[in-house]
Amino acid sequence: MENFEKLSDFDFEQVMADLLSAEWDATVEYFPRGRDGGVDLRVLGPQRGEVELRDGEELVVQCKHRPNANYQALKQDLKKEAGKPIVQTAARYVVVTSARLTRLNKKSIVTLFNGRVSERDILGRDDIARLLRKHPAVERAHLKLWLSSGETLSILLRQMENLRSDSLKTEIERLSATFVETVYLHEAMDRLERYGVCVLAGPPGVGKTTTARLLILRLMAQGWEPIAGVADVREIEAQMVRGKRQVLFLDDFLGQNSLEAKLRSGGESELLGLISAVQADRDKVFILTTRDYILKQAQQNYEKLDRKPFDVVKVSVSSTGLSEFEKSNILYNQLYYSALRPVARSSPSWRYLSIVRRSYFNPRLTETAIAIMVRELGLEPNRSLFSGTLCDPFDPQPAPELDINVPARIEAALRDPEELWRHAIRYQFTPLQRAVLFVRASFGQRPVALDDLYSATEAYAGNGGVVLPRMALDDALRVLDGDCFSVESQLGEIVVGPLNPGLADAVNTFLLKYDDVLLTLARNCQFFTQVRWVAGLTGTFGLIVERGQGTLAPRLARDLLRAAERVLLKPAAKRTDQLFLTDSDPWHVSVGTNLSLVLDLMRLAGNQTSVALRGVIEAIIREHEKISLGDIEETLQFLKSPLCPPEWRPLKTELEHRTLLRFAEPGDLGSWKDLAEVLTFIEPAAEFSAETTAAFELYSAEKLDEMREILDENPEDFDEDELEALEAIADGLMVEIDTGEMRELLQKVDRSGAARVIPGQRALFDFPLSPGGEPTSLEDMFDHL
């Protein structure tokens, strides 16, 4: 263990308390921040064993966290401690430091304390590392220490090298120094251990995503491969490999603004299906985050989500649920590792303690307020642009003579979060920086490739064909990187993450207030993702417009409609997330869903179809084999709309005919399933129906014989999902098949215990599941069988 720089001084004291407790087999106490009189840690007598103390005596430990200090700098600190009365009154006095000490350094410290401390009670960096090797459970119990260990970092870096991504490297660098291990991390570990699934739900800024990333990092270091999705569960399913240990991650899985669009096409069934699959697979775990009010809204609107699985796997994360100690540690770490630290330490401690006692305390808002003050004061930021390098908090820095009240500014940010960004948006950002923010907002929560962001920003800011210098765009991005969004490198390409949630809310409010800005953004959309986001923000897409702005909705709908027609046949923005970057989706991906939005816009704008839209339909017919069934169904719904002119009816007929021919000769279960789905939205001719029914009767008889043979000879290889799919197809085609005997046989196999996984029996991880470091008890595990 060499990386003590990732620990704050208080983290260091906590680690030393646990390490010395293990070494001495005694309870070593540590104390809250404040004047300690030379006592950082202590052991009270009576004690026997390694620590011999009579009743009333105390052993005192003084901790000096100076990982980068030379001995001369450390000596000046120790001189102050040597003069304190506790050195003379303590039965035993111990000095612990993260600085490196030679044998001569230790002898010098003995002389400095006039013999009141012995050489054996002076522990330097190498001594601490030796004790950590002797007591590995201490390292595992302190996640920050464990994540910083050489062996763990080596495993993580190998994992990330396989992923060819720099984004998690940056995140590890940030998290390994500033995060605080809260009760929610242990609750989330427990859910994963018991059920394989954990949903972290809570308001913005309370640490849901940070907790999820820490869980992922811990699992990565044990050999689990991370799989991340952004838009929907299909992104995750495409990356799953049977028999491989994988941790699946879906951040903000219900979205922030467009819940209706997120789940309108059966996404809730896909999500529940994936959760069930993970719970039955010991090689998979699934971590999801969402805002709690959005989850409750979804459960009200979508019956399938209002089920017990969400109740048992959910961890409700909130600031009020954090202890005063945890909140104090969070704020302390944020200030400790920021360039604001020399200014912040001039304020009395009680001012900061009063902040964490506020009911509206929010970790993200405090972090954002600190970042804004750093930029406002022109201080060197705590994270270099594009690099993620942390500043050195151990380098002595004089407090600049700046007139700023740090606690008061943090308090103001907590009382009025929107005001935190409102002033910056109006007065601190340049017009080009604002343009980058507004355009970045229009791409929603999915990270966006830099080239796509720049082309969309040029269209917005250069409204009228003005070409913006690339240097100016780069300069604007560098200013915004860090506290507005993150800029990362993936596969050699720059990717821009979503807006800070507090900033995102402020930008949304600004755009809704200033119609001219919103209309300019709508007119100049370069990707359909932007069209969809603007529509979702204003309540245009599939929802009732309740803004009461009179003429805005029709006018906005007309501008969005023209933009949609212009970009429908363009490739989508590049698909990105935290772990991988792929090429742009071709125009035909989600084209039917896009047409559904176009239809909504047409209704609001009072517009008929256009030549451009007819061109889109003709392209869909030409490329129908590339179009998904869901998109074909939505295209046909578009063509059935009264807004489509009668002369377009031949287009509908031709698309139906080509789609039926595409699935006219199914050869496997998947093809039959597709055909059954097609027949739910296309009514074929009687002759086609008769031929299809006869073909399925023959296929199903052969398939049932094959299934019976597998069930008799190799029941562990039987796939019950195939049987359910066959039954569903039969229902769809209104064909009777006899599966009663098969079901009876299957129940007998179930009762004999053949190849069945019980979700409660997981026991996947070897890390502690409770704050005390104790594993889940067997009694608790059996309760959930």
Side-chain angles (χ1 to χ4, degrees):
M1 173 61 213
E2 294 291 331
N3 216 358
F4 291 108
E5 289 84 354
K6 297 298 187 288
L7 303 179
S8 71
D9 51 358
F10 192 42
D11 294 331
F12 181 69
E13 290 176 14
Q14 290 179 274
V15 170
M16 293 314 305
D18 288 351
L19 188 58
L20 294 176
S21 294
E23 175 67 9
W24 294 337
D25 192 23
T27 300
V28 179
E29 300 174 273
Y30 61 87
F31 305 97
R33 310 306 298 158
R35 295 181 179 179
D36 55 25
V39 181
D40 290 328
L41 312 172
R42 74 172 180 182
V43 180
L44 285 177
Q47 291 285 339
R48 294 186 178 277
E50 172 68 21
V51 178
E52 285 282 352
L53 294 174
R54 292 192 293 269
D55 191 19
E57 291 184 330
E58 65 177 347
L59 179 154
V60 171
V61 180
Q62 178 57 226
C63 298
K64 290 298 177 187
H65 187 34
R66 304 288 187 272
N68 298 324
N70 57 34
Y71 177 65
Q72 290 305 315
L74 177 66
K75 187 176 180 180
Q76 295 302 314
D77 285 340
L78 291 177
K79 277 184 179 179
K80 299 175 185 176
E81 301 297 337
K84 293 180 179 178
I86 191 65
V87 176
Q88 303 300 322
T89 59
R92 181 174 170 185
Y93 193 86
V94 178
V95 174
V96 179
T97 178
S98 53
R100 294 191 184 278
L101 296 177
T102 66
R103 184 174 63 87
L104 292 178
N105 294 155
K106 292 186 177 183
K107 289 183 179 295
S108 172
I109 293 172
V110 172
T111 302
L112 193 66
F113 280 83
N114 294 318
R116 288 295 299 162
V117 58
S118 66
E119 280 193 55
R120 70 164 184 155
D121 286 339
I122 301 172
L123 305 180
R125 187 183 187 111
D126 296 329
D127 301 305
I128 298 170
R130 174 179 54 79
L131 289 178
L132 284 170
R133 289 192 293 271
K134 182 178 178 181
H135 303 286
V138 174
E139 183 181 70
R140 289 195 300 271
H142 289 269
L143 188 53
K144 182 182 289 190
L145 190 67
W146 179 81
L147 284 174
S148 301
S149 72
E151 181 181 355
T152 302
L153 282 175
S154 176
I155 296 172
L156 288 172
L157 289 173
R158 284 200 301 271
Q159 282 272 24
M160 288 181 288
E161 184 176 331
N162 293 336
L163 293 166
R164 298 182 296 169
S165 169
D166 290 334
S167 59
L168 271 181
K169 296 176 186 177
T170 301
E171 194 59 30
I172 286 176
E173 187 71 29
R174 188 183 71 82
L175 285 177
S176 61
T178 59
F179 85 91
V180 172
E181 192 169 347
T182 69
V183 64
Y184 297 123
L185 180 64
H186 299 285
E187 288 184 23
M189 287 178 181
D190 179 71
R191 298 299 190 279
L192 290 181
E193 174 71 15
R194 292 169 185 261
Y195 309 111
V197 177
C198 176
V199 176
L200 295 159
V206 294
K208 302 184 298 295
T209 301
T210 296
T211 301
R213 284 170 173 164
L214 290 172
L215 288 170
I216 292 169
L217 292 178
R218 185 132 205 183
L219 290 167
M220 283 175 64
Q222 295 183 354
W224 292 68
E225 179 189 29
I227 298 297
V230 174
D232 54 44
V233 298
R234 285 170 289 185
E235 293 181 47
I236 291 178
E237 290 173 334
Q239 302 173 73
M240 292 171 63
V241 179
R242 180 172 293 182
K244 188 173 187 178
R245 294 205 302 175
Q246 294 175 309
V247 49
L248 318 179
F249 179 44
L250 198 55
D251 196 16
D252 193 23
F253 74 98
L254 291 176
Q256 293 185 31
N257 298 313
S258 53
L259 173 65
E260 179 74 19
K262 199 92 172 182
L263 296 178
R264 65 184 297 170
S265 299
E268 74 278 14
S269 297
E270 294 178 356
L271 177 63
L272 289 170
L274 180 57
I275 288 175
S276 297
V278 167
Q279 289 184 314
D281 188 343
R282 293 173 55 83
D283 292 321
K284 301 290 182 288
V285 292
F286 195 6
I287 303 169
L288 307 94
T289 70
T290 184
R291 298 189 184 192
D292 200 39
Y293 69 88
I294 293 180
L295 176 59
K296 291 175 181 175
Q297 178 189 346
Q299 290 179 314
Q300 289 174 355
N301 296 339
Y302 298 90
E303 182 181 354
K304 291 180 180 179
L305 294 181
D306 190 19
R307 292 183 179 175
K308 189 177 180 181
F310 279 99
D311 296 331
V312 297
V313 303
K314 186 175 82 168
V315 173
S316 295
V317 182
S318 69
S319 297
T320 55
L322 297 171
S323 68
E324 186 174 301
F325 167 78
E326 289 170 329
K327 290 188 283 188
S328 298
N329 211 355
I330 288 169
L331 180 58
Y332 179 80
N333 269 11
Q334 289 173 350
L335 290 167
Y336 187 87
Y337 283 98
S338 81
L340 198 64
R341 180 185 176 197
V343 185
R345 64 187 176 199
S346 62
S347 297
S349 298
W350 66 266
R351 292 293 306 278
Y352 295 109
L353 193 58
S354 69
I355 291 173
V356 303
R357 288 172 175 166
R358 301 294 187 192
S359 61
Y360 45 75
F361 176 82
N362 182 284
R364 180 180 287 139
L365 286 176
T366 57
E367 185 176 35
T368 302
I370 291 167
I372 288 178
M373 281 186 276
V374 167
R375 187 180 66 240
E376 193 176 297
L377 295 173
L379 301 174
E380 188 69 23
N382 66 329
R383 189 168 72 85
S384 300
L385 301 175
F386 299 99
S387 74
T389 304
L390 289 167
C391 68
D392 183 3
F394 308 103
D395 184 23
Q397 304 172 62
E401 296 182 5
L402 298 169
D403 184 18
I404 188 167
N405 189 324
V406 174
R409 289 288 296 273
I410 295 176
E411 281 269 17
L414 291 172
R415 284 195 302 268
D416 187 3
E418 213 170 279
E419 178 60 31
L420 184 68
W421 287 108
R422 189 183 302 128
H423 180 79
I425 292 172
R426 281 175 168 271
Y427 305 113
Q428 292 184 349
F429 296 131
T430 66
L432 183 54
Q433 290 164 8
R434 277 198 297 271
V436 173
L437 285 178
F438 297 158
V439 172
R440 178 60 195 86
S442 70
F443 283 91
Q445 288 299 295
R446 180 191 293 279
V448 59
L450 184 63
D451 288 342
D452 290 344
L453 177 64
Y454 277 3
S455 66
T457 303
E458 285 184 329
Y460 169 81
N463 187 22
V466 178
V467 178
L468 299 176
R470 177 65 183 250
M471 184 184 300
L473 288 166
D474 283 346
D475 289 344
L477 198 73
R478 288 179 181 275
V479 170
L480 301 172
D481 176 39
D483 50 339
C484 295
F485 46 60
S486 62
V487 179
E488 301 164 348
S489 174
Q490 294 186 16
L491 305 182
E493 188 163 354
I494 302 299
V495 172
V496 182
L499 296 185
N500 172 306
L503 174 58
D505 292 339
V507 167
N508 293 352
T509 301
F510 186 93
L511 291 173
L512 289 171
K513 183 175 182 179
Y514 294 100
D515 297 348
D516 57 333
V517 179
L518 186 60
L519 288 167
T520 301
L521 184 61
R523 281 195 298 269
N524 292 284
C525 290
Q526 296 298 295
F527 299 96
F528 208 93
T529 297
Q530 294 178 273
V531 175
R532 185 176 297 280
W533 184 86
V534 174
L537 174 68
T538 57
T540 304
F541 183 23
L543 301 171
I544 298 173
V545 179
E546 296 179 342
R547 294 188 57 231
Q549 295 289 333
T551 60
L552 175 65
R555 183 181 174 189
L556 176 67
R558 286 195 296 272
D559 285 343
L560 276 178
L561 182 57
R562 297 287 81 81
E565 292 174 350
R566 188 180 69 251
V567 301
L568 262 171
L569 292 180
K570 283 183 58 177
K574 289 185 179 179
R575 295 176 62 83
T576 65
D577 66 13
Q578 293 176 324
L579 300 178
F580 60 87
L581 175 67
T582 65
D583 292 332
S584 303
D585 280 338
W587 66 269
H588 56 75
V589 173
S590 300
V591 67
T593 303
N594 295 344
L595 282 172
S596 294
L597 172 55
V598 168
L599 191 59
D600 286 340
L601 294 172
M602 288 167 60
R603 292 190 185 107
L604 284 170
N607 280 21
Q608 295 290 316
T609 50
S610 66
V611 174
L613 284 176
R614 184 181 178 100
V616 172
I617 303 301
E618 290 171 345
I620 291 174
I621 293 172
R622 287 195 305 271
E623 304 288 343
H624 71 94
E625 292 186 353
K626 299 178 181 177
I627 312 295
S628 71
L629 290 182
D631 284 318
I632 287 178
E633 180 179 7
E634 295 201 67
T635 302
L636 290 171
Q637 291 297 326
F638 176 85
L639 290 169
K640 293 175 183 177
S641 167
L643 291 174
C644 288
E647 57 266 27
W648 283 31
R649 288 174 187 165
L651 296 176
K652 170 180 169 295
T653 303
E654 185 174 359
L655 180 57
E656 289 179 337
H657 176 69
R658 292 198 179 198
T659 303
L660 285 173
L661 289 179
R662 177 175 158 190
F663 299 100
E665 297 180 1
D668 55 30
L669 198 60
S671 300
W672 276 108
K673 187 176 180 180
D674 288 340
L675 178 57
E677 183 178 346
V678 168
L679 295 179
T680 62
F681 58 84
I682 297 178
E683 186 175 350
E687 183 180 351
F688 184 92
S689 296
E691 292 176 356
T692 300
T693 300
F696 180 73
E697 288 175 344
L698 180 62
Y699 172 81
S700 60
E702 295 175 350
K703 188 67 178 176
L704 285 173
D705 288 342
E706 177 186 319
M707 289 180 172
R708 287 190 189 92
E709 184 176 341
I710 293 174
L711 195 57
D712 288 339
E713 298 179 3
N714 301 294
E716 67 277 3
D717 294 334
F718 185 82
D719 189 344
E720 189 174 351
D721 290 341
E722 285 194 353
L723 179 60
E724 292 177 354
L726 193 67
E727 291 172 332
I729 295 168
D731 289 341
L733 297 177
M734 291 184 289
V735 174
E736 291 188 8
I737 59 174
D738 184 8
T739 59
E741 180 186 356
M742 186 85 67
R743 286 293 180 187
E744 290 180 7
L745 288 172
L746 193 58
Q747 287 178 359
K748 292 178 181 178
V749 172
D750 280 348
R751 282 195 293 272
S752 68
R756 291 289 159 188
V757 177
I758 302 174
Q761 293 177 322
R762 298 188 66 87
L764 298 172
F765 317 128
D766 58 6
F767 49 76
L769 294 180
S770 68
E774 295 295 327
T776 305
S777 69
L778 291 178
E779 290 81 6
D780 286 343
M781 187 177 294
F782 287 134
D783 285 343
H784 290 271
L785 285 179

